[in-house]
Amino acid sequence: MMLRALRKFFLLNLLAATALGAEATKPKAPTMAEIRAASKPADWRPLDPEQTIYVEFAAGRVVIELVPAFAPRHVANVKVLARERYYDGLAIVRAQDNYVVQWGDPDAEKPGQAPKIQSASRTLPAEFERKLDPKISFTRLPDGDVYAREVGFSLGLPVARDARTGKMWLVHAYGMVGAGRDHAPDSGGGTELYVVIGHSPRHLDRNVTLLGRVVQGMELLSALPRGTGPMGFYEQAEQRVPIKSIRVAAEVPEAERSTLEVMRTDTATFQALVASRRHRREAWFQAPVGRIEVCNVPLPVRAQGQASR
Amino acid sequence: MMLRALRKFFLLNLLAATALGAEATKPKAPTMAEIRAASKPADWRPLDPEQTIYVEFAAGRVVIELVPAFAPRHVANVKVLARERYYDGLAIVRAQDNYVVQWGDPDAEKPGQAPKIQSASRTLPAEFERKLDPKISFTRLPDGDVYAREVGFSLGLPVARDARTGKMWLVHAYGMVGAGRDHAPDSGGGTELYVVIGHSPRHLDRNVTLLGRVVQGMELLSALPRGTGPMGFYEQAEQRVPIKSIRVAAEVPEAERSTLEVMRTDTATFQALVASRRHRREAWFQAPVGRIEVCNVPLPVRAQGQASR
């Protein structure tokens, strides 16, 4: 008897939308579901197994797409760390409500602890932003942004740009993955990674290196019990969530891979999706929205070869 | 041995900040912790027990401040529903990642189910926005907004205003509480309530009635397992999270109340807090932020009489 509850609040009414009078004044942008259904194979790209990591927990797998175009050294280092099994047996040590989940080595400073790092780097120069390359396709959003002069999407990710400084950078949207650091800007490197689980903390943009995005399994991180210590650190060792392993997808036998596709953001289909999210056509909406903020644009993911999910 | 991990990423360094060279060029706004510590009793106001509800779960209590100034009929109805015990024994039926948690009566449409509502209303006219009243103090933010002409804080809550339409309205920030509705704008009323648990879905502003804010216990909602059905509904009845009761705080014996204070937003202290969050002075920050979005401004809460928490 969930029907009424299901219908309440935010129903994507694909059948009856045009029958309602209120629709007559709304732009006729199709819904997101219709855009997905009508998309062509070329609107999607498969994840590159060499630029994808799997974080394995007892509860399941989190799939992260790495972004070498924005953080080449950090991405390379995370992959070396994964390949030399640095992360295996570490744990989520922090879950701060409306902010981040973070994992790392809780024993990193324990006296006598053998250094686990082999050929990887413990720290790296910051990669907070990169040179604005006009050859990298950029789908700009038209409605402005509180934190940056320009925002939009490059390479499937939320990006800000500033032509005055000649820089572009990834923004701290929900699900973005970054490299924790200490006070010094070059004190990160990927040994500790965090994931945004709340309202986008955009004040972190250009203050810390972002290197990827969770494309599947967010609920394994966002629904973790919050830590009760300062900044959401778990106070008891047994509260930490063990990481079984982190693997570069290319290392994993093909049959065990998560074969996902993400929607390209340099296509007419993605432009249509943005338009449909700016002008909500679903029957539920009363007020014209007509605007969108970069962190409210969905970035669709589907199983490879599936028409929709 | 959490020291190093604790220091990594976003340390509020209250002791050493001024010793670092990078600080010399930063505005000397105090940190949020310093502002809280220096605040006076008049910078805070206690929750009004008549405008506060407690949602009781086995895992603890969620405290919600109601906002009659923006949704008078919905607030009054929620209190009638609470007083006639409508909510007791209902459940959280939906937890959609990066969006909302929602509770209501899963059996509302079960044939033969006796109507539980007594003197309350099942539905009410929409209260999506209200008349802009210049007598209601408004602390405006200076950095603009993607969705509204003006944003800031009134009565301790995030608010948008539009002088052209002569309206003001609550915005969908993290922790805001609204009344689920069906397609018709007047199909809500408070029998089903939702709470924002992800990036602020600002496209819902003026599309649904907001009536309050969670001031304590967010983690009891935000860390719930996500539903696997459409829109995050739980597919199995046993996955739902039972609500033991919802009570108006004034009904609860004084000794059992959560005596909380919220920081006023019409004070110099709050202005200082906004300034300190726009210009981050903590040693960890490298890039000048210099801007803030309405949903990134913290709204401090503390136990009554406590200097800080």
Side-chain angles (χ1 to χ4, degrees):
Chain A
M1 288 298 105
M2 294 297 292
L3 190 60
R4 182 166 164 276
L6 267 169
R7 288 177 57 85
K8 271 225 174 172
F9 192 61
F10 204 62
L11 175 65
L12 297 174
N13 188 332
L14 304 178
L15 303 173
T18 53
L20 291 173
E23 290 304 297
T25 58
K26 293 187 188 174
K28 289 299 173 193
T31 64
M32 183 163 78
E34 289 167 342
I35 289 166
R36 286 184 68 132
S39 67
K40 298 184 177 60
D43 291 322
W44 302 80
R45 62 176 168 79
L47 293 182
D48 177 352
E50 189 54 40
Q51 305 299 348
T52 303
I53 56 173
Y54 299 151
V55 188
E56 306 283 359
F57 298 98
R61 172 183 287 177
V62 174
V63 180
I64 295 173
E65 182 177 27
L66 302 171
V67 196
F70 282 84
R73 297 189 64 174
H74 280 74
V75 165
N77 200 47
V78 163
K79 292 195 288 182
V80 173
L81 287 163
R83 287 195 158 106
E84 66 189 33
R85 309 301 187 236
Y86 172 78
Y87 298 109
D88 298 9
L90 302 190
I92 294 178
V93 295
R94 176 189 189 193
Q96 184 171 0
D97 197 53
N98 193 21
Y99 201 40
V100 297
V101 158
Q102 186 174 347
W103 60 83
D105 183 357
D107 299 321
E109 294 218 322
K110 193 172 276 184
Q113 182 80 7
K116 295 175 66 180
I117 289 182
Q118 300 163 35
S119 61
S121 302
R122 182 165 292 283
T123 62
L124 288 173
E127 294 176 304
F128 298 166
E129 54 189 3
R130 58 154 289 159
K131 187 165 168 293
L132 198 166
D133 181 350
K135 293 194 298 295
I136 296 177
S137 173
F138 179 66
T139 301
R140 189 182 178 199
L141 290 179
D143 302 313
D145 184 69
V146 170
Y147 290 93
R149 291 177 73 82
E150 278 194 325
V151 289
F153 296 86
S154 293
L155 308 172
L157 290 148
V159 164
R161 312 201 311 181
D162 190 331
R164 296 174 311 174
T165 62
K167 299 290 186 185
M168 56 197 290
W169 59 93
L170 297 172
V171 306
H172 275 83
Y174 191 86
M176 293 296 286
V177 183
R181 67 164 174 87
D182 209 330
H183 278 91
D186 58 357
S187 58
T191 58
E192 300 191 23
L193 297 174
Y194 66 91
V195 179
V196 173
I197 62 160
H199 183 76
S200 305
R202 295 284 308 280
H203 46 283
L204 299 181
D205 292 357
R206 289 183 289 173
N207 270 297
V208 61
T209 300
L210 288 169
L211 54 79
R213 177 173 84 97
V214 173
V215 292
Q216 193 171 72
M218 258 313 282
E219 69 284 359
L220 298 175
L221 305 173
S222 59
L224 288 174
R226 301 333 191 206
T228 50
M231 300 188 300
F233 279 89
Y234 292 122
E235 296 182 280
Q236 309 297 329
E238 59 272 23
Q239 297 172 312
R240 296 175 195 144
V241 183
I243 292 173
K244 288 164 60 179
S245 67
I246 298 186
R247 292 284 178 276
V248 179
E251 279 192 285
V252 173
E254 274 195 51
E256 296 165 28
R257 290 186 197 162
S258 302
T259 50
L260 300 173
E261 296 181 327
V262 296
M263 185 179 274
R264 299 176 63 106
T265 56
D266 57 351
T267 62
T269 292
F270 184 71
Q271 293 269 16
L273 183 141
V274 170
S276 91
R277 302 299 280 193
R278 291 181 72 228
H279 302 285
R280 298 298 286 254
R281 185 189 105 166
E282 301 92 332
W284 186 87
F285 279 86
Q286 299 293 323
V289 181
R291 306 186 70 74
I292 200 158
E293 196 247 305
V294 61
C295 298
N296 271 321
V297 176
L299 294 170
V301 177
R302 68 180 189 183
Q304 208 162 11
Q306 272 199 342
S308 193
R309 65 155 191 170
Chain B
M1 290 294 107
M2 292 298 292
L3 191 61
R4 181 165 164 278
L6 267 169
R7 288 177 56 85
K8 271 225 175 172
F9 192 62
F10 205 62
L11 176 65
L12 297 173
N13 189 334
L14 303 178
L15 304 173
T18 53
L20 292 174
E23 290 306 294
T25 58
K26 292 187 189 176
K28 288 300 174 193
T31 64
M32 183 163 79
E34 289 167 343
I35 289 166
R36 287 184 68 132
S39 66
K40 298 184 176 59
D43 292 321
W44 302 80
R45 62 175 169 79
L47 292 182
D48 177 352
E50 188 54 39
Q51 304 299 348
T52 303
I53 55 173
Y54 299 151
V55 188
E56 306 282 0
F57 298 98
R61 173 183 286 177
V62 174
V63 181
I64 295 173
E65 181 176 30
L66 302 171
V67 196
F70 282 85
R73 297 189 64 175
H74 279 75
V75 164
N77 200 49
V78 163
K79 293 195 288 182
V80 173
L81 288 164
R83 287 194 157 107
E84 64 188 35
R85 310 301 188 236
Y86 171 79
Y87 299 109
D88 298 9
L90 302 191
I92 293 178
V93 294
R94 176 189 188 194
Q96 183 170 1
D97 197 54
N98 192 22
Y99 200 40
V100 297
V101 157
Q102 186 174 347
W103 59 82
D105 183 357
D107 299 322
E109 294 219 320
K110 191 173 277 184
Q113 182 80 7
K116 294 175 68 179
I117 288 182
Q118 300 164 35
S119 60
S121 302
R122 182 166 291 284
T123 63
L124 288 173
E127 295 177 303
F128 299 164
E129 54 188 4
R130 58 154 289 158
K131 187 166 169 294
L132 197 166
D133 181 351
K135 293 195 297 295
I136 296 177
S137 173
F138 179 66
T139 301
R140 190 184 178 198
L141 291 180
D143 302 312
D145 184 69
V146 170
Y147 290 94
R149 291 176 73 84
E150 279 193 325
V151 289
F153 295 87
S154 293
L155 308 172
L157 290 149
V159 163
R161 312 201 312 180
D162 190 331
R164 296 174 310 173
T165 63
K167 300 289 186 184
M168 56 196 292
W169 59 94
L170 298 172
V171 305
H172 275 82
Y174 191 87
M176 293 295 287
V177 182
R181 68 164 174 87
D182 208 330
H183 278 91
D186 58 357
S187 59
T191 57
E192 300 190 23
L193 297 173
Y194 66 91
V195 179
V196 174
I197 61 160
H199 183 76
S200 304
R202 295 284 308 282
H203 46 283
L204 299 180
D205 292 358
R206 289 184 288 173
N207 270 297
V208 61
T209 300
L210 288 169
L211 53 80
R213 178 173 83 97
V214 173
V215 291
Q216 193 171 71
M218 257 315 281
E219 70 283 359
L220 298 175
L221 305 173
S222 58
L224 289 175
R226 301 334 191 204
T228 50
M231 301 188 300
F233 279 89
Y234 293 124
E235 296 182 280
Q236 309 297 328
E238 59 270 24
Q239 296 172 312
R240 296 175 194 144
V241 183
I243 292 173
K244 288 165 61 180
S245 67
I246 297 186
R247 292 286 178 273
V248 179
E251 278 192 284
V252 173
E254 274 195 50
E256 297 166 28
R257 291 185 197 163
S258 302
T259 50
L260 301 174
E261 296 181 327
V262 295
M263 184 178 274
R264 299 177 63 106
T265 54
D266 56 351
T267 62
T269 292
F270 184 72
Q271 292 269 16
L273 183 141
V274 170
S276 91
R277 301 299 279 193
R278 290 182 73 227
H279 302 284
R280 298 297 287 255
R281 186 188 105 166
E282 301 91 331
W284 186 87
F285 279 86
Q286 300 291 323
V289 180
R291 308 185 69 74
I292 200 158
E293 196 248 304
V294 62
C295 298
N296 270 321
V297 176
L299 294 169
V301 177
R302 68 181 189 183
Q304 207 161 10
Q306 274 199 341
S308 193
R309 66 154 192 171

